[in-house]
Amino acid sequence: MPDFIVIGAVKAGTTSLYHYLGQHPEIRMSRENWPRFFHVEGGEPDFDRLEATYGKALLAESQRRYRLMCHPGVPRTLEAYEAMWPAEDRPRLRGEVSPTYLHDAAVPERVRRRFPDVRLIAVLRQPAARAYSHYVMDVTKGWLPRENFADTLKREPVGVDEFWWGLRHCYRHGLYARSVARWIEIFGPRQMKICLYDDLAANPGQFVRDLFDFIGVDPDGAVDVRSRYNQSLMPAPGPGKGEGEGGPATFVKAPPLQAEAHRLLTDLFRPEIMRLQELIGRDLSVWLA
């Protein structure tokens, strides 16, 4: 069983945390990052119900997203999930990172039923910056076509609070307040640590020490936090290296989100940021700047 789970958010430094936390001698992380077990434990989503509710327009891409996320390598039984940690390492605390758990409304109760005492960690990032980074990631992975970021947002069903509906979740995965509230309602605030990506970026060493203290291991465990993982890269424009000859694609650092686009998107997130600020008791005015 896991002793702690990092439940989100996507593109908020969680892959780096997977590597940082796994360096501690008292911690064993799951064999693979993003196990996603609690997405699939209840079986495949009821796409007939979703189609009846939302129509056919996004059905095929919704089913494709499920296949991409919940591929055959995702553990589908409790035994397969527990096998992601070596049995002989049980004295260590076990942890996993699945940042999409935060927004799947079915997951909190599934986790509580299996592991009611688990500790939960969420890392939240300024939602406009997070949305753009999510778009870059999905384009790089080939999940989204290389379309304009604004077009991606226009095609996203932003008013649908349903994890498995639609392929695009750049905007919806930034609606933290409603998702965090679900987890707090089921587990209570003491089992959860809500963190900000800003703090991780500013002082990763202190950030990780605070997590060690929350998890219950020696906070002074030596960890190398100099490397950053899963950074925003995009396929280079034009023919990739070796393209047409079976060679690898060329990736370059993604251009930053334009200031005007960042401002407009932040304005859309403003009510949600204000709700989150009240919910977690943190001043988020820097996110509105």
Side-chain angles (χ1 to χ4, degrees), residues 8-29:
V10 177
K11 301 310 296 179
T14 56
T15 298
S16 292
L17 281 185
Y18 172 82
H19 292 279
Y20 299 161
L21 295 171
Q23 295 177 41
H24 196 288
E26 298 176 59
I27 292 175
R28 170 70 75 175
M29 299 302 289

Side-chain angles (χ1 to χ4, degrees), residues 21-139:
L21 295 171
Q23 295 177 41
H24 196 288
E26 298 176 59
I27 292 175
R28 170 70 75 175
M29 299 302 289
S30 59
R31 184 178 66 250
E32 296 178 12
N33 197 15
W34 288 38
R36 299 183 173 128
F37 168 67
F38 290 103
H39 286 314
V40 302
E41 187 191 18
E44 183 171 319
D46 186 350
F47 285 110
D48 289 339
R49 176 187 64 82
L50 294 175
E51 179 185 1
T53 304
Y54 302 113
K56 294 184 178 181
L58 300 182
L59 177 62
E61 68 174 49
S62 300
Q63 293 171 319
R64 175 172 177 259
R65 179 170 178 265
Y66 176 79
R67 292 192 300 271
L68 288 169
M69 285 189 59
C70 301
H71 51 79
V74 171
R76 281 168 165 76
T77 66
L78 183 62
E79 292 74 22
Y81 178 61
E82 291 183 332
M84 301 195 81
W85 295 271
E88 63 272 15
D89 284 339
R90 193 61 195 103
R92 301 187 186 187
L93 294 187
R94 296 177 173 183
E96 71 131 306
V97 175
S98 290
T100 45
Y101 284 165
L102 179 63
H103 297 289
D104 186 342
V107 168
E109 185 55 42
R110 291 173 185 168
V111 174
R112 188 205 62 78
R113 186 174 64 250
R114 292 289 191 187
F115 310 117
D117 299 321
V118 70
R119 299 246 172 177
L120 303 165
I121 298 165
V123 187
L124 309 180
R125 182 179 182 181
Q126 202 280 350
R130 196 221 65 81
Y132 180 65
S133 187
H134 194 156
Y135 154 77
V136 170
M137 177 185 71
D138 281 358
V139 170

Side-chain angles (χ1 to χ4, degrees), residues 26-265:
E26 298 176 59
I27 292 175
R28 170 70 75 175
M29 299 302 289
S30 59
R31 184 178 66 250
E32 296 178 12
N33 197 15
W34 288 38
R36 299 183 173 128
F37 168 67
F38 290 103
H39 286 314
V40 302
E41 187 191 18
E44 183 171 319
D46 186 350
F47 285 110
D48 289 339
R49 176 187 64 82
L50 294 175
E51 179 185 1
T53 304
Y54 302 113
K56 294 184 178 181
L58 300 182
L59 177 62
E61 68 174 49
S62 300
Q63 293 171 319
R64 175 172 177 259
R65 179 170 178 265
Y66 176 79
R67 292 192 300 271
L68 288 169
M69 285 189 59
C70 301
H71 51 79
V74 171
R76 281 168 165 76
T77 66
L78 183 62
E79 292 74 22
Y81 178 61
E82 291 183 332
M84 301 195 81
W85 295 271
E88 63 272 15
D89 284 339
R90 193 61 195 103
R92 301 187 186 187
L93 294 187
R94 296 177 173 183
E96 71 131 306
V97 175
S98 290
T100 45
Y101 284 165
L102 179 63
H103 297 289
D104 186 342
V107 168
E109 185 55 42
R110 291 173 185 168
V111 174
R112 188 205 62 78
R113 186 174 64 250
R114 292 289 191 187
F115 310 117
D117 299 321
V118 70
R119 299 246 172 177
L120 303 165
I121 298 165
V123 187
L124 309 180
R125 182 179 182 181
Q126 202 280 350
R130 196 221 65 81
Y132 180 65
S133 187
H134 194 156
Y135 154 77
V136 170
M137 177 185 71
D138 281 358
V139 170
T140 301
K141 289 165 61 176
W143 288 24
L144 288 180
R146 188 161 183 168
E147 59 192 0
N148 183 277
F149 178 48
D151 290 337
T152 290
L153 295 178
K154 290 176 183 176
R155 294 189 176 104
E156 181 175 338
V158 296
V160 177
D161 184 16
E162 169 56 61
F163 183 78
W164 291 114
W165 193 247
L167 181 64
R168 297 160 178 83
H169 282 67
C170 299
Y171 181 83
R172 287 178 288 170
H173 276 13
L175 300 175
Y176 304 129
R178 65 190 185 189
S179 297
V180 169
R182 286 175 185 147
W183 285 89
I184 292 177
E185 181 180 2
I186 291 175
F187 285 93
R190 293 185 179 181
Q191 278 181 246
M192 295 191 65
K193 187 171 181 64
I194 310 298
C195 313
L196 301 184
Y197 175 82
D198 313 59
D199 297 332
L200 173 60
N203 191 339
Q206 184 59 52
F207 187 94
V208 172
R209 284 191 292 273
D210 290 343
L211 290 188
F212 288 157
D213 185 59
F214 173 71
I215 294 166
V217 298
D218 180 3
D220 294 322
V223 175
D224 184 353
V225 296
R226 291 173 294 179
S227 297
R228 300 292 177 92
Y229 298 85
N230 199 22
Q231 298 187 66
S232 294
L233 300 175
M234 292 190 75
K241 180 180 179 181
E243 190 171 335
E245 301 177 0
T250 300
F251 293 90
V252 297
K253 188 173 179 60
L257 180 62
Q258 294 183 353
E260 180 64 11
H262 183 279
R263 185 187 65 79
L264 291 173
L265 191 51

